[in-house]
Amino acid sequence: MLVLFMGYTAAATASPVTGLYSAEVPVEGQSAEQRTDGIRRAFMQMLIKVTGNRNVAQRPELQGDIEQAPRYVQQFRYRLGAGQSPAAEEAARLLTVQFDAAAVQRLLRERRLPVWGENRPSGLVWLGIESRGQRRVMRPELDEPLLGAMTGAAEKRGIPLILPLMDLEDQSGIRVADLWGDFEQNIRRASQRYSPDLIVTGRMTQLSGQLWRVTWNLYHGDRVSNWSDEGTDPIGLAHEGVEHVSDLLAERYAPVGGEANLSRIRLRVSGVTELTQYVGVGRFLQSQSSVEHADMVSVEPEAVTYELQVRGGIQVLEQGLALGGMIEPITDLPDAAQTLIEGVDLFYRMR
């Protein structure tokens, strides 16, 4: 099992992703004017990854900041595109820009825009293809352009994308009829070996001539979302499918909103017995994209209570906490015990 994310390969788990505050764009040369233009374009790409919003660069409140993009640069470098030689045209040159994460986060907080943290849900994609009356499941060796379109979209949005190996175990575990019949139980069973946070299925059908339709399902916990697209470019449809998944996840994990949408939530974490656990929980809460502020309000021998200012409400907070693997909700706490701890909204414990 491989997770493909911005050139990064690792075991599929909900874990911090890298490269959110960097971007790479093509440039025509290395003059100061061309470099500044490239930095601005890289800045806009980076903002899409960090906020989760693909239209963030069009927001009026950011236009002046985009013009001042060079002030947020930590470092940059040039490189030639893959397969290019030093004698290649200047248009094949790429500019890689690393931005100051702390400065970008301050900017977005000031503009009341979300900062989606590094801990993001991983998605497993099963795609079925029907052409000329024949149906099959997408395979790496046959569908490289489609795979490239989806991984490219995932890289742009900062989403860890899992692509099935389609080895003998996958071929026996998932059937094309499962995708066309939306047999959720079979799909979830076949996906277990990858331990994804969410599952995406697609049915791409050639309707007539150059016209294609793709129907998508997103299984995220107990929630199921579905939508369809049509077009003449199957590669573009595959790319847009991942973009749409990214939009849905951003709405859940990094909602846009100002002070009016902030909620105060008290969270108690038990089982905190070591200093490293105390420090780790504090950092974990501060890393949540929905958390504007996290203040400790009480300390007990083996528990800590925090007051959080949360954007998007308690459900968004719970979704983010579920990805970390550090703490888990207490589901077996008696109601009587909860009432003894006044003012606490959520009860969690160390894993």
Side-chain angles (χ1 to χ4, degrees):
M1 166 187 45
L2 300 178
V3 176
L4 304 182
F5 172 68
M6 296 160 54
Y8 173 72
T9 303
T13 58
S15 58
V17 293
T18 59
L20 292 179
Y21 292 88
S22 65
E24 188 172 71
V25 295
V27 291
E28 295 183 355
Q30 298 186 46
S31 71
E33 182 179 354
Q34 291 166 329
R35 181 170 61 251
T36 298
D37 176 69
I39 288 172
R40 287 172 180 156
R41 288 185 283 116
F43 189 71
M44 290 188 285
Q45 285 190 19
M46 178 273 300
L47 290 177
I48 292 172
K49 287 190 290 186
V50 174
T51 64
N53 187 328
R54 65 166 128 173
N55 299 315
V56 67
Q58 281 73 55
R59 295 185 71 90
E61 64 266 39
L62 283 176
Q63 298 313 301
D65 303 305
I66 292 172
E67 289 298 312
Q68 298 297 320
R71 67 187 295 185
Y72 296 95
V73 174
Q74 267 189 343
Q75 59 183 10
F76 66 87
R77 65 181 178 89
Y78 293 95
R79 73 176 185 89
L80 295 176
Q84 300 296 338
S85 68
E89 296 182 2
E90 288 291 333
R93 194 174 300 276
L94 300 171
L95 173 64
T96 304
V97 187
Q98 176 68 46
F99 295 96
D100 185 331
V104 171
Q105 290 172 13
R106 284 196 300 271
L107 167 67
L108 294 173
R109 297 298 189 195
E110 290 171 1
R111 300 293 181 265
R112 301 299 174 192
L113 293 170
V115 177
W116 195 357
E118 296 178 342
N119 197 42
R120 301 189 176 191
S122 59
L124 173 68
V125 180
W126 301 102
L127 180 62
I129 302 169
E130 180 179 9
S131 178
R132 299 175 181 175
Q134 299 295 317
R135 293 176 176 176
R136 61 182 178 85
V137 180
M138 181 180 67
R139 299 181 63 169
E141 67 273 20
L142 298 176
D143 303 295
E144 185 176 349
L146 291 174
L147 294 175
M150 290 190 290
T151 54
E155 176 180 352
K156 174 184 174 183
R157 301 298 295 273
I159 299 296
L161 187 68
I162 306 171
L163 298 175
L165 298 174
M166 292 311 299
D167 55 9
L168 292 178
E169 183 174 347
D170 281 342
Q171 293 178 44
S172 62
I174 193 81
R175 304 289 186 181
V176 70
D178 295 327
L179 301 180
W180 256 263
D182 291 332
F183 296 143
E184 181 177 345
Q185 185 175 359
N186 293 349
I187 292 168
R188 289 186 181 273
R189 184 185 302 112
S191 303
Q192 287 178 354
R193 66 181 295 205
Y194 296 104
S195 301
D197 296 301
L198 56 96
I199 303 167
V200 181
T201 66
R203 304 191 303 271
M204 182 175 288
T205 304
Q206 187 175 19
L207 298 178
S208 60
Q210 295 183 335
L211 183 61
W212 293 76
R213 174 186 294 154
V214 58
T215 301
W216 300 97
N217 289 327
L218 170 62
Y219 302 97
H220 190 191
D222 295 331
R223 303 171 65 175
V224 181
S225 304
N226 49 72
W227 67 98
S228 297
D229 287 314
E230 289 187 7
T232 58
D233 179 14
I235 295 175
L237 290 172
H239 183 280
E240 179 58 28
V242 176
E243 289 272 21
H244 191 90
V245 169
S246 303
D247 290 341
L248 293 176
L249 295 178
E251 289 176 6
R252 297 174 188 179
Y253 290 97
V256 177
E259 290 284 1
N261 292 333
L262 291 178
S263 306
R264 290 187 178 273
I265 297 172
R266 287 210 171 188
L267 168 71
R268 182 178 185 269
V269 182
S270 60
V272 182
T273 59
E274 301 176 3
L275 178 60
T276 54
Q277 292 176 318
Y278 166 77
V279 174
V281 170
R283 289 177 177 172
F284 176 58
L285 295 177
Q286 292 283 4
S287 73
Q288 296 298 305
S289 57
S290 63
V291 174
E292 290 286 313
H293 300 287
D295 299 315
M296 184 183 64
V297 295
S298 70
V299 179
E300 304 166 52
E302 294 188 2
V304 182
T305 300
Y306 297 86
E307 182 168 281
L308 311 176
Q309 290 190 37
V310 176
R311 185 194 306 273
I314 197 167
Q315 184 178 13
V316 172
L317 174 63
E318 289 178 312
Q319 290 175 161
L321 297 179
L323 292 176
M326 176 176 288
I327 60 177
E328 62 183 0
I330 300 176
T331 58
D332 55 356
L333 189 66
D335 292 340
Q338 295 186 34
T339 58
L340 291 176
I341 307 173
E342 184 177 358
V344 174
D345 302 293
L346 293 175
F347 292 85
Y348 276 68
R349 61 186 166 208
M350 299 297 299
R351 285 188 184 273

